[in-house]
Amino acid sequence: MMPSVPPRVRTLGLNKAYAVPVLSDVNFECLPGEVHALIGANGAGKSTLARILCGLVRPDAGSMEFDGRPYAPRHKRDAEAAGVHIVHQELNLVGNLSVAENLFLSDLPRRWGCLRLGELREAARTALARVGLAGLDPATPVAALGVGVRQLVEIAGALARACRLLILDEPTAALSDPQIERLFDHIRRLRASGVSVIYISHRMDEIARIADRTTVLRDGRIVATRPVAALPVAEAVRMMAGRDPSAHAAAPRVPGPIRLRVRDLRRAPAVRGITLEARAGEILGLAGLVGSGRTEFLRAVFGAERADGGEVQVDDSPPRRFSSPAEAVAAGLAMVPEDRKEDGLMLARPVAMNMSLASLASFRRASGLLAAAAERTAVGQTADRVNLRCASLDQPVTELSGGNQQKTLIGRWLMRDAAVYLFDEPTRGVDISAKAAIHELMGDLARRGRACVVASSEPEELMSLCDRIAVFARGRIARVFERGEWTHERILAAAFEDPAGGAQ
Amino acid sequence: MRSGTNGQPRRRAAECAGLLAVLAALVALFAALSDRFLAPETFLTIANQIPDLVVIAVGMTLVLVSGGIDLSVGSVMALGASLLGVAMTDHGWPAGAAALVAASVGLGCGLVNGVISVGAGIPSFIVTLGMLEIARGAAYLATRSQTQYIGPAIEPIGAPLPVLHLSPAVLAALALVAGGQFILSRTVLGRHLVAIGSNESAVRLSGIDPRPPKIAAFAISGLLSGLAGVFQSSRLSAADPNGGVGLELAAIAAVVIGGTSLMGGRGSVVNSFIGVLIIAVLQTGLAHVGATEPAKRVITGAAIVAAVLADAARHRWAAADLWRRLRRAVPATAMPADRL
Ligand SMILES: Nc1ncnc2c1ncn2[C@@H]1O[C@H](COP(=O)(O)OP(=O)(O)OP(=O)(O)O)[C@@H](O)[C@H]1O
Ligand SMILES: [Mg+2]
């Protein structure tokens, strides 16, 4: 029986190919007032489908309908006119412009070509308050913001528009619990008012809570569309991978001597005196809310930002503050940065060149020549270790799916031996099975006597991965949990503490 | 299959072939327009005129790839030539020692450019613009604004060798093109320059200090500018403090025609060399068909813009085409599709 209301959006036999077919015969629909989850492994084609729906990419074949009428957006503007808005996976803000300008970039309030700054500022304040950023000055340049806050700014921009279809491509990858709750409230409100939401995520728990139906993509084909209740997580994981997930019983890890000691590290205003240590064979987690100082702490340890006070000691080297990452790396540190686009990848350059960047010294012959063959072999092996999916190692990194870009960055540091590995949101945008593989690689590093420090906004990830978890709150450590002591609630409670005010 | 496909070198070879095709087309065009053009003498004349621009383009390529720019090359060349002239005429130095002075002064200017712009974090555009004035002024001071006639002592460097008909300067320039390309594509320094031009922050966070490679690029550019001064004065048998005015723009034009990005991260020394050849053939050809100086400038300018437009178009096309060919060559089942 035909439903009386046509679907909000429907695709008929969509096809899209780059190097390989990316989408094949995709028939997807999303009903009015429905939250429709789109899941699939890294590179399955989720972002590509989203980009087609919002006019950024044109399909090779197939057609689309919007509210029952033919829909063929040729530009993002066409899609926005129809009421389709997207929050991109790869954050798409202009760093030098202010938050306010970014929020309304495509339709800045103006009169006779002049910006109406007052109006812009007011609209920006309202939009920011909606996502809990009431305290953020709309004039702040985006470049000064962390990844989590930027993600919120993108969401605020989309929520400020009149939407009929909102596409969220991994919106929570850098957010912590309270912000996710707030986002979900907005999604529920939108759904109640008849707006359709396409929700792309690798976090199955979120999907179970927010979505009505789920569509699973595998290698560009739809394998199933089902009500969420009828799709247990295990089955969804199997469908995405096309096989049973292999269960690994990880060998136990034995903590050894201390490899990283940080004493009273400070960097105003975000880091206000952090003392911690990490042992050989240990994975230490850093939990906390967005803005609690984890990223700034890791960057200060690594010398990416100069610390104001405190000391860092690797193994038995004399304690000091690193003034550049080059010094930190020489002392045995490695860091996977949070912002892969700004601080990590050379987007236009090949995968291979990106991966070997930190370990070029080991391919340097005495003459200064690059041992190209050895480099290539090593890159190939690392690509396999991190489960990288790409058409060729000479493909520019920008053509890879978000998750595979992240794997490239992790691979860069796996190619280089270090005493202590610092990971800042290492699995942002990485799919479930690849995430397990990366966790296993971290476990291996630890078992081989390295220390790992992992910051993540996802407490579940830390609880399954780490031996200890330090919870950051307002630039200080609120609590350190040993394995067995922690629960999601306790971590969250600690994250809300004020370690300075003594509100235990 | 993944590590088997080697798209990058293939793409690079295609770019080089495209530039050679443009060069061949120009030669054919002028051969059709003027019956005197297609003669060995034409090409030997061109060859013996360009060594200064060629070596400067080599240095400029390295600087542009790393995301900088060097506007001082023409003035530094004139300063090198002037000091060489003064050393030989006023002090009676032998050519070899005087050439060494010119090269060292170039190197010094390049180091100053690099250390100031990289050390203080000032855009190289501004620092080298300052050096453009300073070196030019110094050249006038050294020569009291007079062209220094040196005479035959300096001529062997720029004079055609007996059998080859090419001058030692041309041979040296060719060797430096090969050396520059080698640095760029085969050494760690070259890789660092490409990486810095692509994303300096990523380079820094990978534990590499981006400053030494950047300074090295400016130093090389300065050294080669000084050397260009030697080549130029041997060709003119004189040191001209007015030499090389506007040469920085000719060098940038040649390098950009060769496909090097002004934004950094992409470039090829060999293609810059072909870019120099294209400009030189265009200018000589226009002279042959009797174009006036103003007309030559208009046409050369238009050719630069056309070349860059073609490069942009070819890039889009080459990327798309490569994928299409790849797709045909590799059936979908051979792709690492279910690795996850
Ligand atoms: N511009 C492009 N050129 C070539 N290939 C591309 C391009 N854009 C995407 N691809 C390829 O298309 C495939 C699907 O990419 P897409 O970004 O849609 O994946 P995804 O499902 O969003 O993955 P992720 O979970 O990692 O974000 C990938 O294999 C990717 O390499
Ligand atoms: Mg994606």
Side-chain angles (χ1 to χ4, degrees):
Chain A
M1 235 189 57
M2 280 286 288
S4 50
V5 210
R8 175 56 40 82
V9 72
R10 171 165 38 194
T11 74
L12 297 163
L14 279 193
N15 277 290
K16 177 73 196 172
Y18 292 107
V20 288
V22 173
L23 293 176
S24 316
D25 193 28
V26 168
N27 298 305
F28 172 82
E29 64 163 36
C30 183
L31 302 174
E34 178 188 34
V35 177
H36 198 127
L38 191 56
I39 63 175
N42 291 136
K46 306 178 296 292
S47 298
T48 305
L49 178 56
R51 283 197 280 261
I52 290 177
L53 288 174
C54 67
L56 288 169
V57 168
R58 272 180 240 158
D60 298 338
S63 61
M64 296 186 274
E65 283 172 11
F66 194 86
D67 284 338
R69 284 186 300 277
Y71 172 67
R74 298 174 56 81
H75 302 285
K76 182 140 192 245
R77 225 173 324 131
D78 299 346
E80 287 183 351
V84 180
H85 290 276
I86 183 168
V87 173
H88 287 283
Q89 175 182 23
E90 295 312 316
L91 302 175
N92 245 334
L93 301 171
V94 185
N96 290 329
L97 294 186
S98 70
V99 167
E101 286 159 338
N102 268 289
L103 280 172
F104 299 103
L105 201 53
S106 61
D107 54 354
L108 288 165
R110 69 194 119 189
R111 175 183 290 164
W112 299 320
C114 292
L115 275 183
R116 311 184 61 173
L117 289 173
E119 195 173 306
L120 179 61
R121 202 164 259 270
E122 270 324 296
R125 272 190 214 289
T126 319
L128 289 174
R130 209 172 284 146
V131 293
L133 289 177
L136 181 65
D137 180 359
T140 318
V142 161
L145 306 177
V147 172
V149 180
R150 269 190 237 182
Q151 185 122 45
L152 286 173
V153 170
E154 287 237 5
I155 293 172
L159 292 178
R161 310 290 163 78
C163 281
R164 297 178 65 74
L165 171 65
L166 177 62
I167 304 172
L168 299 165
D169 194 351
E170 301 193 31
T172 57
L175 300 188
S176 40
D177 288 347
Q179 288 138 350
I180 296 177
E181 284 316 314
R182 199 188 302 258
L183 174 65
F184 281 6
D185 287 341
H186 284 297
I187 293 178
R188 291 194 192 98
R189 221 171 21 75
L190 289 173
R191 168 166 59 191
S193 62
V195 175
S196 305
V197 178
I198 297 176
Y199 191 89
I200 301 175
S201 178
H202 293 296
R203 297 188 181 180
M204 301 303 290
D205 54 322
E206 290 179 359
I207 287 167
R209 286 176 47 211
I210 195 71
D212 302 310
R213 283 196 298 168
T214 305
T215 288
V216 185
L217 268 179
R218 181 171 76 233
D219 299 333
R221 288 173 192 283
I222 291 186
V223 257
T225 297
R226 289 206 204 151
V228 166
L231 187 63
V233 172
E235 195 181 350
V237 171
R238 204 173 324 122
M239 277 184 180
M240 284 192 272
R243 58 182 163 74
D244 279 319
S246 45
H248 280 277
R253 295 191 291 262
V254 196
I258 294 174
R259 302 211 71 171
L260 174 72
R261 254 183 248 267
V262 180
R263 270 189 222 99
D264 197 30
L265 197 73
R266 296 164 178 278
R267 178 180 159 77
V271 185
R272 304 194 295 170
I274 299 280
T275 300
L276 55 72
E277 49 200 37
R279 291 174 176 277
E282 182 182 55
I283 302 180
L284 169 65
L286 307 184
L289 305 178
V290 169
S292 59
R294 294 164 301 169
T295 293
E296 292 78 2
F297 166 71
L298 289 177
R299 289 178 67 91
V301 170
F302 192 60
E305 235 87 63
R306 200 180 267 277
D308 308 328
E311 283 170 348
V312 176
Q313 184 180 11
V314 182
D315 289 333
D316 296 327
S317 65
R320 58 187 178 140
R321 283 198 295 278
F322 296 115
S323 58
S324 76
E327 278 180 18
V329 168
L333 288 180
M335 182 176 84
V336 174
E338 176 186 38
D339 189 341
R340 62 177 171 246
K341 218 170 163 182
E342 293 293 320
D343 293 333
L345 296 171
M346 305 178 281
L347 286 173
R349 302 280 90 77
V351 175
M353 194 183 283
N354 270 283
M355 262 208 200
S356 63
L357 184 62
S359 47
L360 281 179
S362 62
F363 303 113
R364 172 192 239 137
R365 300 215 187 96
S367 52
L369 245 74
L370 203 57
E375 180 196 0
R376 219 176 161 75
T377 315
V379 166
Q381 284 166 354
T382 312
D384 287 338
R385 279 175 75 193
V386 294
N387 264 322
L388 189 77
R389 247 173 72 156
C390 60
S392 144
L393 292 175
D394 294 307
Q395 213 177 351
V397 156
T398 183
E399 291 177 3
L400 265 54
S401 77
N404 284 302
Q405 294 186 4
Q406 186 66 30
K407 294 178 208 166
T408 306
L409 195 55
I410 292 179
R412 175 184 297 169
W413 286 105
L414 292 179
M415 284 183 71
R416 187 184 170 110
D417 192 26
V420 181
Y421 290 82
L422 312 173
F423 295 96
D424 199 354
E425 297 284 355
T427 57
R428 184 157 69 91
V430 168
D431 69 40
I432 297 177
S433 43
K435 194 174 195 172
I438 289 170
H439 286 174
E440 219 167 289
L441 287 168
M442 292 176 182
D444 279 346
L445 288 174
R447 268 186 292 279
R448 284 189 286 121
R450 314 298 186 273
C452 295
V453 182
V454 183
S456 168
S457 56
E458 210 181 340
E460 276 77 16
E461 168 168 40
L462 295 177
M463 291 193 289
S464 74
L465 175 68
C466 299
D467 304 300
R468 284 190 303 145
I469 297 179
V471 185
F472 276 51
R474 303 182 193 199
R476 294 194 171 86
I477 292 182
R479 276 205 65 177
V480 179
F481 293 99
E482 301 285 332
R483 179 171 278 281
E485 293 176 4
W486 60 55
T487 62
H488 195 144
E489 290 69 34
R490 281 186 183 173
I491 290 177
L492 201 59
F496 276 110
E497 275 174 22
D498 185 352
Q504 278 295 105
Chain B
M1 109 99 223
R2 194 184 50 211
S3 31
T5 23
N6 220 343
Q8 201 69 6
R10 216 190 316 170
R11 218 179 287 188
R12 225 177 275 146
E15 270 176 38
C16 187
L19 285 166
L20 286 174
V22 170
L23 186 60
L26 275 179
V27 170
L29 176 72
F30 288 120
L33 290 178
S34 150
D35 37 344
R36 284 171 306 120
F37 183 80
L38 205 59
E41 297 80 62
T42 315
F43 297 104
L44 291 176
T45 313
I46 291 178
N48 287 319
Q49 270 175 2
I50 56 172
D52 14 346
L53 185 56
V54 168
V55 294
I56 283 179
V58 171
M60 187 67 81
T61 307
L62 298 183
V63 172
L64 284 179
V65 162
S66 75
I69 194 164
D70 187 351
L71 297 178
S72 68
V73 287
S75 299
V76 171
M77 177 180 96
L79 178 59
S82 299
L83 292 179
L84 173 132
V86 170
M88 291 183 74
T89 53
D90 291 5
H91 303 282
W93 285 28
L100 207 61
V101 168
S104 325
V105 165
L107 177 65
C109 291
L111 278 173
V112 170
N113 280 337
V115 168
I116 293 183
S117 70
V118 175
I122 301 169
S124 52
F125 188 96
I126 298 299
V127 175
T128 59
L129 188 62
M131 181 58 80
L132 178 148
E133 287 298 318
I134 294 170
R136 180 69 63 189
Y140 287 139
L141 286 176
T143 56
R144 277 156 273 122
S145 306
Q146 303 292 314
T147 299
Q148 311 278 303
Y149 290 97
I150 305 173
I154 192 71
E155 279 168 17
I157 301 175
L161 293 168
V163 186
L164 272 173
H165 302 295
L166 294 172
S167 66
V170 175
L171 300 180
L174 286 176
L176 286 168
V177 167
Q181 182 64 54
F182 188 80
I183 289 182
L184 196 55
S185 50
R186 293 290 173 81
T187 66
V188 175
L189 170 64
R191 180 66 69 80
H192 282 166
L193 292 177
V194 171
I196 291 165
S198 305
N199 184 347
E200 187 167 342
S201 171
V203 170
R204 207 171 72 87
L205 285 178
S206 297
I208 299 161
D209 186 347
R211 290 170 300 179
K214 284 170 80 177
I215 294 175
F218 283 104
I220 292 173
S221 177
L223 173 69
L224 293 178
S225 302
L227 204 59
V230 177
F231 294 165
Q232 196 211 28
S233 35
S234 76
R235 184 153 43 83
L236 303 175
S237 316
D240 179 6
N242 281 309
V245 172
L247 197 66
E248 60 282 347
L249 298 182
I252 291 170
V255 170
V256 168
I257 287 176
T260 294
S261 163
L262 281 177
M263 315 302 287
R266 178 165 68 88
S268 148
V269 175
V270 170
N271 290 356
S272 297
F273 171 58
I274 304 176
V276 173
L277 291 182
I278 287 176
I279 291 188
V281 166
L282 190 63
Q283 303 236 324
T284 311
L286 286 172
H288 266 265
V289 298
T292 60
E293 193 58 31
K296 270 166 79 176
R297 294 189 73 155
V298 170
I299 295 174
T300 311
I304 292 170
V305 175
V308 175
L309 284 175
D311 180 62
R314 194 176 56 223
H315 258 271
R316 256 172 268 137
W317 176 84
D321 177 66
L322 183 79
W323 291 126
R324 228 173 292 126
R325 257 184 292 155
L326 232 159
R327 227 168 87 205
R328 247 182 275 123
V330 184
T333 47
M335 298 302 295
D338 30 36
R339 301 162 54 97
L340 292 176

